[in-house]
């Protein structure tokens, strides 16, 4: 995998190109890039055919261990790749350790292993066991096994253990990666750990920066799940800025988690290149429709999302956004979506997910366009106004 950017600044919004995937050498992606969140290799609530109607473009899918562990034995037995097994071989796949949409159970790490929690309970992964899974799945891009179990309240002792364990696991993963004919041409990312401790981050970066890595995941800032959308950007900006300033400018930087769009823009401004789409999935699960891009007078959408279950939408026969081109807004009304949610029809989640994924793809297209045109500051101001009340109960209309 190759990453190229014209930007020489370490800490600035930038356009880049991700390419050189062995399985699909002609595919490239422009950054800032959105990883499409999946469960078990499929976009939640959407069949493959429906997803293709949402976007016909090539996408980079985010696949997590917790949602795919039940497939591991069968994939190994059939000697096939994960992409082939889930019939998504026309997409590039990115493998992550934890599911960003669900809170990761804290603790339970051991000396040389990481705990991964799925529907069937806890599974311990040593570097050897993890790399056996990676060799079976054959992802195009993956994160080396790491201990990211830290957050803003983690103790110095917990941070120290995360740093030491992640170093050991990375070394073991790289040894296997570089000696494997099946993997050495794949992209492997290293996780920068250290919680909110600047000195610990510096130590992690000193160890990582000269390793043969395709890029870096800025890890250990949260324990995933819906609560990440409520983390104030001011809480993470300084630590991320310090981290990126120390990392090589020519390597891709990734931040996983369901950050809200205002925070995404702040992180893009600092030089983060790749995010995942767990946020629109979480919003869908909360029966909300994203409207932060809609600023048309005809819609009167002055907030970031609407809670479609509210009584006010029972007789509202307008679409979520009159200028939205998604399948949901083109064919269905707020009243119909309200009805589907109250009757708990599966179609309700399908239609919301179509709209929310479409909106988020449009959001990242707008980010790239604004960087190219020099209007990134205006986009930030526009979105911040919608999320100004994100910490108050009045944030959702």
């Amino acid at each position: 995998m190759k990453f190229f950017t014209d930007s020489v600044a370490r800490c600035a919004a930038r356009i880049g190109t991700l390419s050189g995937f062995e399985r699909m050498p002609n595919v490239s992606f422009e950054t800032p890039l959105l990883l499409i969140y999946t469960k078990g290799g499929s976009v939640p609530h959407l069949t493959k055919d429906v997803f293709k109607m949402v976007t016909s473009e090539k996408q980079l899918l985010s696949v997590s261990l917790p949602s795919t562990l039940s497939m591991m034995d069968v994939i190994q037995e059939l000697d096939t790749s994960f992409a082939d097994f889930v019939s998504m071989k026309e997409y590039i796949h990115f493998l992550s350790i934890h599911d960003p949409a669900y809170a990761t159970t804290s603790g339970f790490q051991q000396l040389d292993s990481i705990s991964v929690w799925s529907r069937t309970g806890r599974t311990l992964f040593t570097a050897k066991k993890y790399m056996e899974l990676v060799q079976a799945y054959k992802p195009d891009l993956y994160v080396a096994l790491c201990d990211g179990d830290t957050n803003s309240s983690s103790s110095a002792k917990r941070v120290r253990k995360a740093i030491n364990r992640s170093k050991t696991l990375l070394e073991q993963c790289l040894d296997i990666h570089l000696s494997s004919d099946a993997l050495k041409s794949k992209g492997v990312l290293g996780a920068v750990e250290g919680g909110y401790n600047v000195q610990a981050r510096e130590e992690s970066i000193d160890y990582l920066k000269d390793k043969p890595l395709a890029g870096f995941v800025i890890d250990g800032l949260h324990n995933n799940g819906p609560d990440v959308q409520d983390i104030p950007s001011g809480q993470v900006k300084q630590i991320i800025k310090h981290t990126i300033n120390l990392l090589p400018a020519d390597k891709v930087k990734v931040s996983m988690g369901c950050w809200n769009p205002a925070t995404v823009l702040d992180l893009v401004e600092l030089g983060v290149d790749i995010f995942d789409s767990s946020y629109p999935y979480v919003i869908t699960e909360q029966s909300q429709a994203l409207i932060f891009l809609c600023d048309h007078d005809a819609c009167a959408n002055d907030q970031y999302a609407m809670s479609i279950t509210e009584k006010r939408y029972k007789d509202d026969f307008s679409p979520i956004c009159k200028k939205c081109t998604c399948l949901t807004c083109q064919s269905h009304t707020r009243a119909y979506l309200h009805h589907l949610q109250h009757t708990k029809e599966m179609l309700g989640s399908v239609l919301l997910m179509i709209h929310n994924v479409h909106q988020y793809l449009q959001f990242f297209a707008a980010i790239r366009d604004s960087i190219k045109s020099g209007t990134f500051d205006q986009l930030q101001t526009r979105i911040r106004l919608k999320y100004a009340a994100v910490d108050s109960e009045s944030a959702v209309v």
Side-chain angles (χ1 to χ4, degrees), residues 11-78:
C11 225
R14 62 186 191 170
I15 295 293
T17 303
L18 203 61
S19 62
F21 299 100
E22 180 190 38
R23 188 168 59 87
M24 300 174 70
N26 295 324
V27 171
S28 65
F29 300 98
E30 199 170 46
T31 64
L33 174 67
L34 179 68
L35 298 173
I36 301 297
Y37 171 79
T38 70
K39 293 173 70 176
S42 299
V43 182
H45 302 303
L46 306 184
T47 64
K48 180 178 177 179
D49 289 340
V50 171
F51 179 57
K52 284 186 173 181
M53 288 191 284
V54 175
T55 173
S56 59
E57 298 178 357
K58 294 292 184 184
Q59 299 294 336
L60 209 165
L61 305 185
S62 172
V63 177
S64 67
L65 286 185
S67 71
T68 63
L69 277 180
S70 61
M71 306 177 189
M72 181 173 66
D73 292 340
V74 179
I75 291 174
Q76 288 175 324
E77 184 177 341
L78 293 175

Side-chain angles (χ1 to χ4, degrees), residues 133-147:
L133 179 144
V134 172
Q135 287 176 308
Y137 280 19
K138 302 177 183 65
D140 303 286
L141 187 62
Y142 71 97
V143 184
L145 197 61
C146 56
D147 180 0

Side-chain angles (χ1 to χ4, degrees), residues 174 204-213 216 247-248 251:
L174 277 179
S204 180
I205 292 167
D206 284 341
Y207 176 76
L208 290 170
K209 64 184 181 182
D210 295 323
K211 299 294 182 184
L213 299 167
F216 306 93
L247 289 171
K251 295 291 182 72

